[in-house]
DNA sequence: ATGGCTTTATGCTAAAGA
């Protein structure tokens, strides 16, 4: 089972990129983030054999999960705050695997209400994972976490020291989720530096390889046992009018 | 870098992203 995640930064602008990439890679599942629209071009992907689940929102956020196999939608709302209307969460079940697609809040600037919202969101995610690990179902959490886990996951740790993606409280909240028993699929197989998934549009970040690793695939123990490979596909980041993120993929046995 | 791009919107400047 080939599973991918990609923050496309507007599905409307990136539609041709996504279609081209799907044709070349044909993943069983693609989880997308930052669709930036209320409507989703479902027919474009249905024509390619994909079934679609999505949660849209005008202008901001938005997540979608595409699958070659039947999709059961569990929920499009992260439990723990009924007043939260941001489209950042989509939980589905495909081929017996629960797939949690997330667009975790950025959190900047940290001296605004955005940062406590991020930390609260991470705590809600932790609670959800806590509930799920009692089930026997295998599950994974994938998407744009907006968390740089370690110094080695950014080109210049000092430049990120006070950023919401890298503050000690942010990394502690991320570790608290991992410590429930999840495995970072990419880190497990490729623990070295320079495994970036995002490069800023500004200041030649892509040409200078000044990136950060913030898109992750976290596996429950039963899925960690099935992990065959995990890699970041840098190719689409080099395309004309690219998203600032590039896809991450995991291949699971069975 | 109180932001050098990029995207969206009761749009032509402001807000958000990371």
């Amino acid at each position: 089972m080939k599973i991918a995640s990609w923050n496309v930064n507007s599905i409307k602008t990136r539609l041709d990129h996504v279609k081209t990439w799907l044709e070349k890679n044909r993943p069983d599942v693609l989880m997308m983030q930052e669709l930036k629209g209320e409507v989703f071009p479902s027919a474009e992907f249905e024509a390619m054999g994909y079934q679609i689940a999505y949660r849209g929102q005008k202008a901001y956020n938005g997540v979608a999960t595409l699958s070659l196999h039947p999709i059961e939608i569990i929920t499009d709302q992260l439990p723990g705050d009924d007043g939260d209307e941001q489209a950042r969460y989509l939980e589905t079940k495909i081929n017996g695997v629960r797939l949690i697609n997330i667009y975790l809040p950025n959190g900047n600037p940290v001296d605004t209400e955005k940062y406590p919202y991020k930390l609260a969101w991470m705590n809600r995610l932790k609670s959800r994972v806590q509930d799920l690990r009692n089930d026997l179902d295998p599950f994974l959490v994938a998407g744009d976490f907006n968390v740089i886990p370690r110094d080695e996951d950014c080109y210049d740790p000092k430049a990120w020291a006070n950023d919401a993606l890298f503050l000690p409280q942010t990394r502690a909240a991320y570790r608290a989720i991992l410590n429930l028993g999840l495995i970072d699929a990419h880190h497990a197989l490729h623990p070295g530096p320079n495994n970036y998934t995002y490069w800023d549009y500004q200041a030649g970040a892509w040409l200078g390889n000044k990136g950060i690793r913030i898109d992750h695939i976290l596996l429950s123990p039963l899925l960690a046992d099935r992990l065959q490979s995990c890699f970041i596909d840098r190719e689409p980041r080099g395309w004309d009018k690219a998203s600032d993120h590039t896809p991450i993929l995991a291949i699971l046995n069975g």
Side-chain angles (χ1 to χ4, degrees), chain A residues 39-191:
Chain A
V39 296
F40 186 81
S42 297
E44 298 274 355
F45 300 105
E46 284 164 355
M48 300 175 67
Y50 282 95
Q51 299 185 34
I52 292 104
Y54 79 96
R55 165 88 193 271
Q57 179 184 335
K58 189 187 290 184
Y60 303 116
N61 309 317
V63 286
T65 299
L66 274 49
S67 171
L68 292 174
H69 316 285
I71 305 183
E72 180 190 348
I73 298 174
I74 309 295
T75 178
D76 63 2
Q77 175 76 16
L78 176 59
D81 181 0
D82 292 341
D84 186 358
E85 296 184 345
Q86 300 193 29
R88 299 181 175 275
Y89 187 91
L90 184 55
E91 185 174 322
T92 57
K93 196 178 271 193
I94 299 168
N95 276 0
V97 177
R98 191 180 298 250
L99 298 149
I100 300 178
N101 177 0
I102 67 164
Y103 175 44
L104 204 149
N106 175 297
N108 284 304
V110 294
D111 59 353
T112 67
E113 74 288 347
K114 291 174 185 294
Y115 191 55
Y117 172 67
K118 175 177 191 156
L119 292 178
W121 206 96
M122 295 179 82
N123 203 43
R124 288 161 60 197
L125 181 61
K126 180 188 168 194
S127 294
R128 184 59 176 162
V129 170
Q130 233 159 1
D131 288 343
L132 291 178
R133 70 176 177 164
N134 297 323
D135 291 350
L136 291 176
D137 285 350
F139 67 95
L140 62 79
V141 186
D144 178 359
F145 281 68
N146 273 315
V147 174
I148 303 167
R150 312 165 302 161
D151 284 3
E152 296 89 331
D153 296 318
C154 59
Y155 69 95
D156 182 6
K158 283 196 280 294
W160 291 92
N162 298 311
D163 195 280
L165 280 63
F166 196 56
L167 282 171
Q169 302 97 301
T170 304
R171 284 180 283 161
Y174 178 75
R175 279 197 308 275
I177 295 168
L178 283 177
N179 288 343
L180 293 172
L182 301 187
I183 295 292
D184 175 340
H186 198 276
H187 176 258
L189 300 176
H190 314 285

